Protein backbone atom coordinates (compact mmCIF):
# COMPACT_ATOMS: atom_id res chain seq x y z
CA UNK A 1 0.00 0.00 0.00
CA UNK A 2 1.24 3.49 -0.79
CA UNK A 3 0.52 6.77 0.96
CA UNK A 4 -1.16 9.94 -0.25
CA UNK A 5 2.10 11.72 -1.09
CA UNK A 6 3.27 8.72 -3.08
CA UNK A 7 -0.05 8.59 -4.97
CA UNK A 8 0.30 12.29 -5.80
CA UNK A 9 3.80 11.73 -7.17
CA UNK A 10 2.54 8.86 -9.35
CA UNK A 11 -0.37 10.97 -10.57
CA UNK A 12 1.94 13.81 -11.55
CA UNK A 13 4.38 11.44 -13.27
CA UNK A 14 1.48 10.01 -15.28
CA UNK A 15 0.52 13.47 -16.52
CA UNK A 16 4.03 14.52 -17.52
CA UNK A 17 5.28 13.63 -20.97
CA UNK A 18 8.26 11.41 -20.40
CA UNK A 19 10.66 11.00 -17.49
CA UNK A 20 11.11 13.84 -15.00
CA UNK A 21 13.48 14.88 -12.22
CA UNK A 22 12.33 15.21 -8.63
CA UNK A 23 12.32 19.00 -8.90
CA UNK A 24 10.30 18.89 -12.13
CA UNK A 25 7.78 16.61 -10.44
CA UNK A 26 7.39 19.06 -7.54
CA UNK A 27 6.98 21.98 -9.95
CA UNK A 28 4.38 20.12 -12.02
CA UNK A 29 2.51 19.09 -8.87
CA UNK A 30 2.02 22.75 -7.96
CA UNK A 31 0.81 23.58 -11.49
CA UNK A 32 -1.57 20.61 -11.46
CA UNK A 33 -2.92 21.52 -8.02
CA UNK A 34 -1.80 18.14 -6.72
CA UNK A 35 0.65 19.04 -3.96
CA UNK A 36 3.64 16.76 -3.60
CA UNK A 37 6.02 18.62 -1.28
CA UNK A 38 9.29 16.77 -0.88
CA UNK A 39 8.46 14.58 -3.88
CA UNK A 40 12.13 13.64 -4.14
CA UNK A 41 11.79 11.82 -0.80
CA UNK A 42 9.05 9.60 -2.21
CA UNK A 43 11.00 8.58 -5.32
CA UNK A 44 13.23 5.96 -3.71
CA UNK A 45 10.22 4.58 -1.81
CA UNK A 46 8.28 4.22 -5.05
CA UNK A 47 11.32 2.66 -6.72
CA UNK A 48 11.57 0.05 -3.94
CA UNK A 49 7.84 -0.64 -4.35
CA UNK A 50 8.39 -1.28 -8.07
CA UNK A 51 6.14 1.61 -9.17
CA UNK A 52 8.81 3.78 -10.84
CA UNK A 53 12.34 3.34 -12.16
CA UNK A 54 15.38 5.44 -12.91
CA UNK A 55 15.47 6.37 -16.57
CA UNK A 56 18.94 7.93 -16.74
CA UNK A 57 20.21 11.43 -16.07
CA UNK A 58 19.96 14.78 -17.80
CA UNK A 59 20.00 18.47 -16.88
CA UNK A 60 16.94 19.41 -14.85
CA UNK A 61 14.75 21.92 -16.70
CA UNK A 62 14.39 23.95 -13.51
CA UNK A 63 17.77 23.85 -11.78
CA UNK A 64 19.91 23.16 -14.89
CA UNK A 65 21.90 20.69 -12.78
CA UNK A 66 22.36 17.09 -13.89
CA UNK A 67 19.83 14.91 -12.12
CA UNK A 68 18.27 11.45 -12.22
CA UNK A 69 15.06 11.26 -14.23
CA UNK A 70 12.26 8.93 -13.17
CA UNK A 71 9.46 7.19 -15.06
CA UNK A 72 6.50 5.00 -14.19
CA UNK A 73 6.92 1.27 -14.66
Amino acid sequence: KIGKSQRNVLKVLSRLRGPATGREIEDAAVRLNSPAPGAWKRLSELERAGRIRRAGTRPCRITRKRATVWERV
Side-chain angles (χ1 to χ4, degrees):
K1 186 175 178 193
I2 62 173
K4 184 178 180 180
S5 294
Q6 293 168 330
R7 279 193 303 277
N8 284 346
V9 168
L10 288 175
K11 184 165 87 171
V12 171
L13 261 175
S14 294
R15 292 181 153 183
L16 293 173
R17 294 188 175 118
T21 67
R23 184 63 182 87
E24 292 167 352
I25 293 167
E26 286 186 12
D27 185 65
V30 170
R31 287 185 284 115
L32 295 170
N33 200 24
S34 181
W40 61 273
K41 298 175 192 176
R42 310 283 76 89
L43 297 172
S44 60
E45 296 168 357
L46 288 166
E47 182 183 35
R48 281 193 301 274
R51 301 291 188 103
I52 64 172
R53 66 177 168 220
R54 295 168 197 254
T57 61
R58 66 162 168 74
C60 175
R61 292 181 182 114
I62 296 164
T63 66
R64 305 286 186 238
K65 295 179 182 178
R66 190 164 257 329
T68 299
V69 289
W70 302 85
E71 66 185 0
R72 286 198 70 164
V73 174

Coordinates of all heavy atoms in Angstrom, one line a residue:
K1 N 0.8 -1.2 0.0 CA 0.0 0.0 0.0 C 0.9 1.2 0.0 O 1.9 1.3 0.7 CB -0.9 0.0 1.2 CG -1.9 1.1 1.2 CD -2.8 1.0 2.4 CE -3.7 2.2 2.3 NZ -4.5 2.5 3.4
I2 N 0.5 2.3 -0.7 CA 1.2 3.5 -0.8 C 0.4 4.6 -0.2 O -0.8 4.6 -0.2 CB 1.7 3.8 -2.2 CG1 0.5 4.1 -3.1 CG2 2.6 2.8 -2.8 CD1 0.9 4.6 -4.5
G3 N 1.2 5.6 0.3 CA 0.5 6.8 1.0 C 0.0 7.8 0.0 O 0.3 7.8 -1.2
K4 N -0.6 8.8 0.5 CA -1.2 9.9 -0.3 C -0.1 10.7 -1.0 O -0.3 11.0 -2.2 CB -1.9 10.9 0.7 CG -2.6 12.0 -0.1 CD -3.4 12.9 0.8 CE -4.1 14.0 0.1 NZ -4.9 14.9 0.9
S5 N 1.0 11.0 -0.4 CA 2.1 11.7 -1.1 C 2.6 10.9 -2.3 O 2.9 11.4 -3.3 CB 3.2 12.0 -0.1 OG 2.8 12.9 0.8
Q6 N 2.8 9.6 -2.0 CA 3.3 8.7 -3.1 C 2.3 8.7 -4.2 O 2.7 8.7 -5.4 CB 3.5 7.3 -2.5 CG 4.7 7.3 -1.6 CD 4.8 6.0 -0.8 OE1 3.8 5.3 -0.5 NE2 6.0 5.6 -0.4
R7 N 1.0 8.6 -3.9 CA -0.1 8.6 -5.0 C 0.0 9.9 -5.8 O -0.2 9.9 -7.0 CB -1.4 8.4 -4.4 CG -1.8 7.0 -4.1 CD -3.3 6.8 -3.8 NE -3.8 7.6 -2.7 CZ -3.7 7.3 -1.4 NH1 -3.1 6.1 -1.0 NH2 -4.2 8.1 -0.5
N8 N 0.2 11.0 -5.1 CA 0.3 12.3 -5.8 C 1.5 12.3 -6.7 O 1.4 12.8 -7.9 CB 0.4 13.5 -4.8 CG -1.0 13.8 -4.2 OD1 -2.0 13.3 -4.7 ND2 -0.9 14.6 -3.1
V9 N 2.6 11.8 -6.3 CA 3.8 11.7 -7.2 C 3.5 10.9 -8.4 O 3.8 11.3 -9.5 CB 5.0 11.2 -6.4 CG1 6.2 10.9 -7.4 CG2 5.5 12.2 -5.4
L10 N 2.9 9.7 -8.2 CA 2.5 8.9 -9.3 C 1.6 9.5 -10.3 O 1.7 9.4 -11.5 CB 1.9 7.5 -8.9 CG 2.9 6.6 -8.2 CD1 2.2 5.4 -7.6 CD2 4.0 6.1 -9.2
K11 N 0.6 10.3 -9.7 CA -0.4 11.0 -10.6 C 0.3 12.0 -11.4 O 0.1 12.1 -12.6 CB -1.4 11.6 -9.7 CG -2.6 12.3 -10.5 CD -3.7 12.6 -9.5 CE -3.6 13.9 -8.9 NZ -4.8 14.3 -8.1
V12 N 1.2 12.8 -10.8 CA 1.9 13.8 -11.6 C 2.8 13.2 -12.6 O 2.8 13.6 -13.8 CB 2.8 14.7 -10.6 CG1 3.7 15.6 -11.4 CG2 1.9 15.5 -9.7
L13 N 3.5 12.1 -12.3 CA 4.4 11.4 -13.3 C 3.6 10.9 -14.5 O 4.0 10.9 -15.6 CB 5.1 10.3 -12.6 CG 6.6 10.5 -12.2 CD1 7.1 9.3 -11.5 CD2 7.4 10.9 -13.4
S14 N 2.4 10.5 -14.2 CA 1.5 10.0 -15.3 C 1.1 11.1 -16.2 O 0.9 10.9 -17.4 CB 0.2 9.4 -14.7 OG 0.5 8.2 -14.0
R15 N 1.0 12.3 -15.7 CA 0.5 13.5 -16.5 C 1.7 14.1 -17.3 O 1.4 14.8 -18.3 CB -0.2 14.5 -15.7 CG -1.5 14.0 -15.1 CD -2.2 15.0 -14.3 NE -3.6 14.8 -14.4 CZ -4.4 15.6 -13.8 NH1 -4.0 16.7 -13.1 NH2 -5.7 15.4 -13.8
L16 N 2.9 13.9 -16.8 CA 4.0 14.5 -17.5 C 4.4 13.7 -18.8 O 4.1 12.5 -18.8 CB 5.2 14.6 -16.6 CG 5.1 15.5 -15.4 CD1 6.3 15.3 -14.5 CD2 5.0 16.9 -15.9
R17 N 4.9 14.3 -19.7 CA 5.3 13.6 -21.0 C 6.7 13.2 -20.8 O 7.6 14.0 -21.0 CB 5.1 14.5 -22.2 CG 3.7 14.9 -22.4 CD 3.4 15.6 -23.7 NE 2.0 15.8 -23.9 CZ 1.4 16.9 -24.0 NH1 2.1 18.0 -23.9 NH2 0.1 17.0 -24.2
G18 N 6.9 11.9 -20.5 CA 8.3 11.4 -20.4 C 8.8 11.5 -19.0 O 8.2 12.0 -18.1
P19 N 10.0 11.0 -18.8 CA 10.7 11.0 -17.5 C 10.9 12.4 -17.0 O 11.0 13.4 -17.7 CB 12.0 10.3 -17.7 CG 11.8 9.6 -19.0 CD 10.8 10.4 -19.8
A20 N 10.9 12.5 -15.6 CA 11.1 13.8 -15.0 C 12.0 13.7 -13.8 O 12.1 12.7 -13.1 CB 9.8 14.4 -14.6
T21 N 12.7 14.8 -13.4 CA 13.5 14.9 -12.2 C 12.6 15.1 -11.0 O 11.4 15.6 -11.2 CB 14.5 16.0 -12.3 OG1 13.8 17.3 -12.3 CG2 15.4 15.9 -13.6
G22 N 13.1 14.9 -9.8 CA 12.3 15.2 -8.6 C 11.8 16.7 -8.6 O 10.7 16.9 -8.2
R23 N 12.7 17.6 -8.9 CA 12.3 19.0 -8.9 C 11.2 19.3 -9.9 O 10.3 20.1 -9.7 CB 13.6 19.9 -9.1 CG 13.3 21.3 -9.0 CD 12.9 21.7 -7.6 NE 12.6 23.1 -7.5 CZ 11.4 23.7 -7.8 NH1 10.4 22.9 -8.2 NH2 11.2 25.0 -7.6
E24 N 11.3 18.7 -11.1 CA 10.3 18.9 -12.1 C 9.0 18.3 -11.7 O 7.9 18.9 -11.9 CB 10.7 18.2 -13.4 CG 11.9 18.9 -14.1 CD 12.5 18.1 -15.2 OE1 12.2 17.0 -15.4 OE2 13.4 18.7 -15.9
I25 N 9.0 17.2 -11.0 CA 7.8 16.6 -10.4 C 7.1 17.6 -9.4 O 5.9 17.8 -9.5 CB 8.1 15.2 -9.8 CG1 8.5 14.2 -10.9 CG2 6.8 14.7 -9.1 CD1 9.1 13.0 -10.4
E26 N 7.9 18.1 -8.5 CA 7.4 19.1 -7.5 C 6.8 20.3 -8.2 O 5.7 20.7 -7.9 CB 8.5 19.5 -6.6 CG 8.8 18.4 -5.6 CD 9.8 18.9 -4.5 OE1 10.1 20.1 -4.4 OE2 10.3 18.1 -3.8
D27 N 7.5 20.8 -9.2 CA 7.0 22.0 -10.0 C 5.7 21.7 -10.7 O 4.7 22.4 -10.6 CB 8.0 22.4 -11.0 CG 7.7 23.7 -11.7 OD1 7.6 24.7 -11.0 OD2 7.4 23.7 -12.9
A28 N 5.6 20.5 -11.3 CA 4.4 20.1 -12.0 C 3.2 19.9 -11.0 O 2.1 20.2 -11.3 CB 4.6 18.9 -12.8
A29 N 3.5 19.3 -9.9 CA 2.5 19.1 -8.9 C 1.8 20.4 -8.5 O 0.6 20.4 -8.3 CB 3.1 18.4 -7.7
V30 N 2.6 21.4 -8.3 CA 2.0 22.7 -8.0 C 1.1 23.2 -9.1 O 0.0 23.7 -8.9 CB 3.1 23.8 -7.7 CG1 2.6 25.2 -7.5 CG2 3.9 23.4 -6.4
R31 N 1.6 23.1 -10.3 CA 0.8 23.6 -11.5 C -0.5 22.8 -11.7 O -1.5 23.3 -12.1 CB 1.6 23.5 -12.8 CG 2.7 24.6 -12.9 CD 3.4 24.6 -14.2 NE 4.4 23.5 -14.2 CZ 4.4 22.5 -15.0 NH1 3.4 22.4 -15.9 NH2 5.3 21.6 -14.9
L32 N -0.4 21.5 -11.3 CA -1.6 20.6 -11.5 C -2.5 20.6 -10.2 O -3.4 19.8 -10.2 CB -1.1 19.2 -11.8 CG -0.3 19.0 -13.1 CD1 0.3 17.6 -13.2 CD2 -1.3 19.2 -14.3
N33 N -2.1 21.4 -9.3 CA -2.9 21.5 -8.0 C -3.0 20.2 -7.3 O -4.1 19.7 -6.8 CB -4.3 22.1 -8.3 CG -4.9 22.6 -7.0 OD1 -4.2 23.0 -6.1 ND2 -6.3 22.7 -7.0
S34 N -1.9 19.5 -7.4 CA -1.8 18.1 -6.7 C -0.5 18.1 -5.9 O 0.5 17.5 -6.2 CB -1.7 17.1 -7.8 OG -1.7 15.8 -7.2
P35 N -0.6 18.8 -4.7 CA 0.7 19.0 -4.0 C 1.4 17.8 -3.7 O 0.9 16.7 -3.3 CB 0.1 19.7 -2.7 CG -1.3 20.1 -2.9 CD -1.8 19.3 -4.1
A36 N 2.7 17.9 -3.9 CA 3.6 16.8 -3.6 C 4.9 17.3 -3.0 O 6.0 17.2 -3.6 CB 3.9 15.9 -4.9
P37 N 4.8 18.0 -1.9 CA 6.0 18.6 -1.3 C 7.0 17.5 -0.9 O 6.6 16.5 -0.4 CB 5.5 19.4 -0.1 CG 4.2 18.7 0.3 CD 3.6 18.2 -1.0
G38 N 8.3 17.8 -1.2 CA 9.3 16.8 -0.9 C 9.1 15.5 -1.7 O 9.4 14.4 -1.3
A39 N 8.7 15.7 -3.0 CA 8.5 14.6 -3.9 C 9.7 13.7 -4.0 O 9.6 12.5 -4.1 CB 8.0 15.1 -5.3
W40 N 10.9 14.4 -4.0 CA 12.1 13.6 -4.1 C 12.3 12.6 -3.1 O 12.9 11.6 -3.3 CB 13.3 14.6 -4.2 CG 13.5 15.4 -2.9 CD1 12.9 16.6 -2.6 CD2 14.2 15.1 -1.8 NE1 13.2 17.0 -1.4 CE2 14.1 16.1 -0.8 CE3 15.0 14.0 -1.4 CZ2 14.7 16.1 0.4 CZ3 15.6 14.0 -0.2 CH2 15.5 15.0 0.7
K41 N 11.7 12.8 -1.9 CA 11.8 11.8 -0.8 C 11.0 10.6 -1.1 O 11.3 9.5 -0.6 CB 11.3 12.4 0.5 CG 12.1 13.6 1.0 CD 11.4 14.2 2.2 CE 12.0 15.5 2.6 NZ 11.2 16.1 3.7
R42 N 9.9 10.7 -1.9 CA 9.0 9.6 -2.2 C 9.6 8.7 -3.4 O 9.2 7.6 -3.5 CB 7.7 10.1 -2.6 CG 7.0 11.1 -1.7 CD 6.5 10.5 -0.4 NE 7.4 10.1 0.6 CZ 7.9 10.8 1.6 NH1 7.5 12.1 1.7 NH2 8.7 10.3 2.5
L43 N 10.5 9.3 -4.1 CA 11.0 8.6 -5.3 C 11.7 7.2 -5.0 O 11.4 6.2 -5.6 CB 11.9 9.5 -6.1 CG 11.2 10.7 -6.7 CD1 12.2 11.7 -7.3 CD2 10.1 10.4 -7.6
S44 N 12.6 7.2 -4.0 CA 13.2 6.0 -3.7 C 12.2 5.0 -3.1 O 12.3 3.8 -3.3 CB 14.4 6.2 -2.8 OG 14.0 6.8 -1.6
E45 N 11.3 5.5 -2.4 CA 10.2 4.6 -1.8 C 9.4 3.9 -2.9 O 9.2 2.7 -2.9 CB 9.3 5.4 -0.9 CG 9.9 6.0 0.3 CD 9.1 7.0 1.0 OE1 7.9 7.3 0.6 OE2 9.5 7.4 2.1
L46 N 9.0 4.7 -3.9 CA 8.3 4.2 -5.0 C 9.1 3.3 -5.9 O 8.6 2.3 -6.5 CB 7.7 5.4 -5.9 CG 6.6 6.1 -5.2 CD1 6.3 7.5 -5.9 CD2 5.3 5.3 -5.2
E47 N 10.4 3.6 -6.0 CA 11.3 2.7 -6.7 C 11.4 1.3 -6.0 O 11.3 0.3 -6.7 CB 12.7 3.3 -6.8 CG 13.7 2.4 -7.6 CD 15.1 3.0 -7.6 OE1 15.5 3.6 -6.6 OE2 15.7 2.8 -8.7
R48 N 11.5 1.3 -4.7 CA 11.6 0.0 -3.9 C 10.3 -0.7 -4.1 O 10.2 -1.9 -4.1 CB 11.9 0.3 -2.5 CG 13.3 0.6 -2.2 CD 13.7 0.5 -0.7 NE 12.9 1.5 0.1 CZ 13.3 2.7 0.3 NH1 14.4 3.2 -0.2 NH2 12.5 3.5 1.0
A49 N 9.2 0.0 -4.2 CA 7.8 -0.6 -4.4 C 7.6 -1.1 -5.8 O 6.6 -1.7 -6.1 CB 6.7 0.3 -3.9
G50 N 8.5 -0.8 -6.7 CA 8.4 -1.3 -8.1 C 7.4 -0.4 -8.9 O 7.0 -0.9 -10.0
R51 N 7.1 0.8 -8.5 CA 6.1 1.6 -9.2 C 6.8 2.5 -10.2 O 6.2 3.0 -11.1 CB 5.3 2.5 -8.2 CG 4.5 1.7 -7.2 CD 3.4 1.0 -7.8 NE 2.5 0.3 -6.9 CZ 1.3 0.8 -6.6 NH1 0.9 1.9 -7.1 NH2 0.6 0.2 -5.7
I52 N 8.1 2.9 -9.9 CA 8.8 3.8 -10.8 C 10.2 3.2 -11.0 O 10.6 2.3 -10.2 CB 8.9 5.2 -10.4 CG1 9.6 5.4 -9.1 CG2 7.5 5.8 -10.2 CD1 9.9 6.8 -8.6
R53 N 10.9 3.8 -12.0 CA 12.3 3.3 -12.2 C 13.2 4.5 -12.6 O 12.6 5.5 -13.2 CB 12.4 2.2 -13.1 CG 12.1 2.6 -14.5 CD 12.3 1.4 -15.5 NE 11.6 1.8 -16.8 CZ 10.9 0.9 -17.5 NH1 10.8 -0.3 -17.1 NH2 10.3 1.3 -18.6
R54 N 14.5 4.4 -12.4 CA 15.4 5.4 -12.9 C 15.5 5.3 -14.4 O 15.6 4.2 -14.9 CB 16.8 5.3 -12.3 CG 16.8 5.5 -10.8 CD 18.0 5.0 -10.1 NE 17.9 4.8 -8.7 CZ 18.4 5.7 -7.8 NH1 19.1 6.7 -8.2 NH2 18.1 5.5 -6.5
A55 N 15.4 6.4 -15.1 CA 15.5 6.4 -16.6 C 16.7 7.1 -17.1 O 16.7 7.6 -18.2 CB 14.2 7.0 -17.1
G56 N 17.7 7.3 -16.3 CA 18.9 7.9 -16.7 C 19.1 9.3 -16.0 O 18.5 9.5 -15.0
T57 N 20.0 10.1 -16.6 CA 20.2 11.4 -16.1 C 20.2 12.4 -17.2 O 20.5 12.1 -18.4 CB 21.6 11.5 -15.3 OG1 22.6 11.2 -16.3 CG2 21.6 10.6 -14.2
R58 N 19.9 13.7 -16.9 CA 20.0 14.8 -17.8 C 19.9 16.1 -17.0 O 19.5 16.0 -15.8 CB 18.8 14.7 -18.8 CG 17.5 14.9 -18.2 CD 16.4 15.2 -19.3 NE 15.1 15.1 -18.8 CZ 14.5 15.9 -18.0 NH1 15.2 17.0 -17.5 NH2 13.2 15.8 -17.6
P59 N 20.1 17.2 -17.6 CA 20.0 18.5 -16.9 C 18.5 18.7 -16.5 O 17.6 18.5 -17.4 CB 20.5 19.5 -17.9 CG 21.4 18.8 -18.8 CD 20.8 17.4 -18.9
C60 N 18.3 19.1 -15.3 CA 16.9 19.4 -14.8 C 16.5 20.7 -15.6 O 17.3 21.6 -15.7 CB 16.9 19.6 -13.3 SG 15.4 20.2 -12.7
R61 N 15.3 20.7 -16.0 CA 14.7 21.9 -16.7 C 14.6 23.1 -15.8 O 14.4 24.2 -16.2 CB 13.4 21.6 -17.4 CG 13.6 20.6 -18.5 CD 12.2 20.3 -19.2 NE 12.4 19.3 -20.2 CZ 12.0 18.1 -20.2 NH1 11.2 17.7 -19.2 NH2 12.2 17.2 -21.2
I62 N 14.6 22.9 -14.5 CA 14.4 23.9 -13.5 C 15.7 24.4 -12.9 O 16.0 25.6 -12.9 CB 13.4 23.5 -12.4 CG1 12.1 23.3 -13.1 CG2 13.3 24.6 -11.3 CD1 11.1 22.5 -12.3
T63 N 16.5 23.5 -12.4 CA 17.8 23.8 -11.8 C 19.0 23.9 -12.7 O 20.0 24.5 -12.4 CB 18.1 22.8 -10.7 OG1 18.4 21.6 -11.3 CG2 17.0 22.7 -9.7
R64 N 18.8 23.3 -13.9 CA 19.9 23.2 -14.9 C 21.1 22.3 -14.4 O 22.1 22.1 -15.1 CB 20.5 24.5 -15.3 CG 19.5 25.5 -15.8 CD 19.0 25.1 -17.2 NE 18.1 26.2 -17.7 CZ 16.9 25.9 -18.1 NH1 16.4 24.7 -18.0 NH2 16.1 26.9 -18.5
K65 N 20.9 21.6 -13.3 CA 21.9 20.7 -12.8 C 21.6 19.3 -13.3 O 20.4 18.9 -13.4 CB 22.0 20.7 -11.3 CG 22.4 22.0 -10.7 CD 22.4 22.0 -9.2 CE 22.8 23.3 -8.6 NZ 22.8 23.3 -7.2
R66 N 22.6 18.5 -13.5 CA 22.4 17.1 -13.9 C 21.7 16.3 -12.8 O 22.1 16.4 -11.6 CB 23.7 16.4 -14.2 CG 23.5 15.1 -14.9 CD 24.8 14.6 -15.6 NE 24.9 14.7 -17.0 CZ 24.1 14.6 -17.9 NH1 22.8 14.6 -17.7 NH2 24.4 14.6 -19.2
A67 N 20.6 15.6 -13.1 CA 19.8 14.9 -12.1 C 19.3 13.6 -12.7 O 19.1 13.5 -13.9 CB 18.7 15.8 -11.6
T68 N 18.9 12.7 -11.8 CA 18.3 11.5 -12.2 C 16.9 11.8 -12.7 O 16.2 12.6 -12.1 CB 18.2 10.5 -11.0 OG1 19.5 10.2 -10.6 CG2 17.5 9.2 -11.4
V69 N 16.4 11.1 -13.8 CA 15.1 11.3 -14.2 C 14.3 9.9 -13.9 O 14.9 8.9 -13.9 CB 14.9 11.6 -15.7 CG1 15.4 13.1 -15.9 CG2 15.7 10.7 -16.6
W70 N 13.1 10.0 -13.6 CA 12.3 8.9 -13.2 C 11.1 8.7 -14.1 O 10.6 9.7 -14.7 CB 11.7 9.2 -11.8 CG 12.8 9.4 -10.8 CD1 13.5 10.6 -10.5 CD2 13.4 8.4 -9.9 NE1 14.4 10.4 -9.5 CE2 14.4 9.1 -9.2 CE3 13.2 7.1 -9.7 CZ2 15.2 8.4 -8.2 CZ3 14.0 6.4 -8.8 CH2 15.0 7.1 -8.1
E71 N 10.6 7.5 -14.3 CA 9.5 7.2 -15.1 C 8.6 6.1 -14.4 O 9.2 5.3 -13.6 CB 9.9 6.8 -16.5 CG 10.6 5.5 -16.6 CD 11.1 5.1 -18.0 OE1 10.8 5.9 -18.9 OE2 11.7 4.1 -18.1
R72 N 7.4 6.1 -14.7 CA 6.5 5.0 -14.2 C 6.8 3.7 -14.9 O 7.3 3.6 -16.0 CB 5.0 5.3 -14.4 CG 4.6 6.5 -13.5 CD 3.1 6.5 -13.4 NE 2.6 5.4 -12.7 CZ 1.4 5.3 -12.2 NH1 0.6 6.4 -12.3 NH2 0.9 4.3 -11.5
V73 N 6.6 2.6 -14.1 CA 6.9 1.3 -14.7 C 5.7 0.8 -15.4 O 4.6 1.1 -15.0 CB 7.3 0.3 -13.5 CG1 7.4 -1.1 -14.0 CG2 8.6 0.8 -12.9

